[in-house]
Amino acid sequence: MKNTKRLVALGLMAISMTTAYSCEFASKKATSEPLIAQAVINEKEEPNNTVKIALLLDTSNSMDGLINQAKAQLWDIVNEFTHAKCGNEKRPNLQIALYQYGNDNLSSQEGYIQQVLNFSSDLDEISEKLFSLTTNGGEEYCGAVINTSLKQLQWGKNADNLKMIFIAGNEPFTQGKLNYKDAVTNAKEKDIVVNTIFCGNYQQGINTDWKQGASLTGGEYMAIDHNQKVVHIDTPYDDIIIKLNSKLNKTYISYGSLGASKSQMQRTQDANAAEMEEAVAIKRAVSKSSRLYSNSSWDMVDAVENNKIDISEINDDELPSDLKGKSPKAIESYLKDKKEERTQIQNEIQELNKKREAYIATNQKEDSKGALENAMLGAIKKQAAKKDYKFD
């Protein structure tokens, strides 16, 4: 359990998947406690083209290395999914949930298990929760955490949606009072695929039932080297993308009760990415230039674009200082200009990223990608294909 660091890497990947992609199939206590998301449960049936991914990460001792790998690779996964589309040519939506288990700071009565984030499509929130994780020794009960996620999360009954669990750890899959076979059988009955990531020797993972845990639902078993270093290649386009990201942030117009805190979260997650490495900040900027980065709950530009607010009905005290006292027509014109500016910046980032990726492909050595990234993307694409997903 001490080496469970790899678990967290799993979280990133998943996040990457964070970009929830489900298809319309045939026809159509460490230093501080992790931040807990106050998710709103939607009782309505989820529409088609929704991907739900739950990341179950072991945060027992020695998980820091894996957590860092996960933080670094989160945006790789997200950016990969921006290219996903269903058989009906529609782009899928992404929802990601996050659990931690095996940490002594968690309640023993709850089996050392905690829901850190309910299903969310807010990329800043997903990043925030991932960065809030800390490690401490504990007992890892794989069957129990799988079963808890099945009970607590709103998975829905839409057979066309892609629903996946990724669980990572390095202790025997059999630990705990709850038999893991009962948990994964329950998952299969709900059309949820369980993928397992063992942080250690491939054969050892098989011997401790990690492969069996995945096989029972048709999922993928993976073993990774959590100590593998990811090689980041500098390109001539990096500094330009970083500067464009700063300009992009200025096109967000916060409003309402969430405006100030969410705007600050955006800047904080930019800083978290940059603190890790410049390459991570660049990948996050690319994610922010995609359709998956949408902030209708606090940004007026996105809210108007997605018909979430009526400018004529919004109260003056909910507006930022620059817009207070202005007429609905003036506000509409202002937001239109910001939308055009944002679109231009996002397009520039996307074009520069194409050149960046081409440069990296030319200069990248074989097997230089992160172990977790390769493992998760392979599993996701394979299972997405069964729901008629394709990638551009």
Side-chain angles (χ1 to χ4, degrees):
M1 63 176 82
K2 316 296 188 203
N3 294 322
T4 2
K5 316 171 168 185
R6 314 98 187 216
L7 289 181
V8 180
L10 152 68
L12 273 189
M13 306 294 226
I15 247 137
S16 69
M17 309 154 83
T18 125
T19 2
Y21 299 76
S22 281
C23 227
E24 198 168 343
F25 187 39
S27 56
K28 355 155 209 187
K29 278 187 187 163
T31 314
S32 60
E33 282 195 29
L35 299 167
I36 306 301
Q38 296 181 356
V40 177
I41 297 176
N42 183 1
E43 296 296 339
K44 296 181 179 180
E45 180 59 39
E46 289 292 339
N48 291 337
N49 305 326
T50 300
V51 171
K52 294 190 173 188
I53 297 170
L55 306 176
L56 317 182
L57 308 179
D58 179 350
T59 57
S60 58
N61 270 349
S62 305
M63 283 291 299
D64 303 87
L66 182 64
I67 292 176
N68 286 336
Q69 188 179 136
K71 292 173 183 175
Q73 295 173 4
L74 165 65
W75 304 109
D76 287 309
I77 306 299
V78 172
N79 292 333
E80 184 69 28
F81 275 99
T82 61
H83 303 296
K85 62 182 178 181
C86 299
N88 57 13
E89 299 302 312
K90 289 185 178 180
R91 298 292 184 180
N93 301 311
L94 165 71
Q95 294 181 3
I96 293 174
L98 177 62
Y99 279 77
Q100 64 165 329
Y101 73 104
N103 189 315
D104 275 347
N105 287 322
L106 304 179
S107 169
S108 60
Q109 295 181 343
E110 299 296 329
Y112 303 104
I113 296 167
Q114 182 184 59
Q115 181 189 106
V116 180
L117 178 67
N118 206 327
F119 280 128
S120 173
S121 57
D122 185 331
L123 298 184
D124 286 342
E125 184 179 39
I126 295 167
S127 176
E128 180 189 44
K129 304 314 173 188
L130 186 60
F131 271 86
S132 76
L133 294 177
T134 54
T135 61
N136 199 50
E139 298 296 327
E140 299 97 300
Y141 304 142
C142 294
V145 68
I146 291 172
N147 200 54
T148 298
S149 70
L150 295 176
K151 289 182 176 180
Q152 292 183 348
L153 297 173
Q154 298 294 315
W155 290 95
K157 298 181 180 179
N158 192 325
D160 289 325
N161 287 342
L162 178 60
K163 295 171 281 190
M164 296 180 287
I165 287 173
F166 281 82
I167 178 171
N170 72 339
E171 288 295 308
F173 208 70
T174 53
Q175 287 188 159
K177 296 179 180 179
L178 179 64
N179 191 322
Y180 77 85
K181 294 182 179 179
D182 293 332
V184 297
T185 298
N186 189 15
K188 186 174 183 179
E189 290 175 352
K190 296 176 180 289
D191 193 30
I192 300 168
V193 179
V194 176
N195 301 284
T196 62
I197 299 178
F198 181 69
C199 303
N201 177 270
Y202 185 87
Q203 187 58 47
Q204 183 182 356
I206 294 178
N207 294 341
T208 52
D209 278 15
W210 281 81
K211 183 176 182 180
Q212 180 71 356
S215 299
L216 290 173
T217 67
E220 296 295 307
Y221 160 67
M222 299 149 275
I224 66 170
D225 176 8
H226 64 294
N227 292 317
Q228 178 177 332
K229 299 295 182 181
V230 181
V231 179
H232 296 296
I233 298 174
D234 294 332
T235 81
Y237 313 102
D238 297 351
D239 289 342
I240 307 174
I241 293 176
I242 291 292
K243 291 177 181 178
L244 286 173
N245 180 66
S246 295
K247 291 183 178 181
L248 182 62
N249 284 353
K250 295 176 182 178
T251 69
Y252 285 85
I253 312 301
S254 59
Y255 76 98
S257 60
L258 294 176
S261 62
K262 285 290 191 177
S263 180
Q264 180 59 50
M265 182 189 292
Q266 181 188 64
R267 295 190 294 271
T268 298
Q269 296 317 306
D270 279 353
N272 281 340
E275 187 175 342
M276 289 201 68
E277 192 167 344
E278 184 181 71
V280 179
I282 294 166
K283 293 171 185 177
R284 172 172 159 81
V286 173
S287 294
K288 289 168 65 180
S289 71
S290 76
R291 66 178 181 83
L292 294 173
Y293 189 73
S294 181
N295 299 284
S296 298
S297 67
W298 65 272
D299 167 55
M300 291 188 72
V301 177
D302 280 346
V304 170
E305 178 76 10
N306 296 307
N307 299 315
K308 298 297 184 181
I309 59 172
D310 185 336
I311 294 176
S312 64
E313 296 180 357
I314 192 167
N315 296 325
D316 199 60
D317 60 0
E318 294 183 288
L319 295 171
S321 57
D322 290 347
L323 297 181
K324 290 184 183 298
K326 294 188 178 294
S327 67
K329 186 175 182 179
I331 294 175
E332 183 178 357
S333 177
Y334 181 84
L335 296 178
K336 181 180 179 181
D337 290 343
K338 287 297 181 182
K339 174 61 178 178
E340 291 176 354
E341 181 183 358
R342 181 182 301 178
T343 299
Q344 180 180 348
I345 294 172
Q346 289 176 325
N347 288 341
E348 287 185 59
I349 292 176
Q350 288 291 324
E351 289 302 314
L352 286 168
N353 188 54
K354 290 179 182 178
K355 297 177 181 179
R356 173 179 167 274
E357 289 180 337
Y359 184 95
I360 291 174
T362 301
N363 294 276
Q364 189 174 56
K365 295 181 180 180
E366 189 176 354
D367 296 330
S368 61
K369 287 187 177 182
L372 180 61
E373 177 186 356
N374 285 333
M376 290 191 70
L377 284 179
I380 292 170
K381 287 187 174 182
K382 183 175 181 179
Q383 288 155 30
K386 296 178 181 179
K387 295 286 185 178
D388 206 21
Y389 278 103
K390 297 179 178 63
F391 292 81
D392 295 336

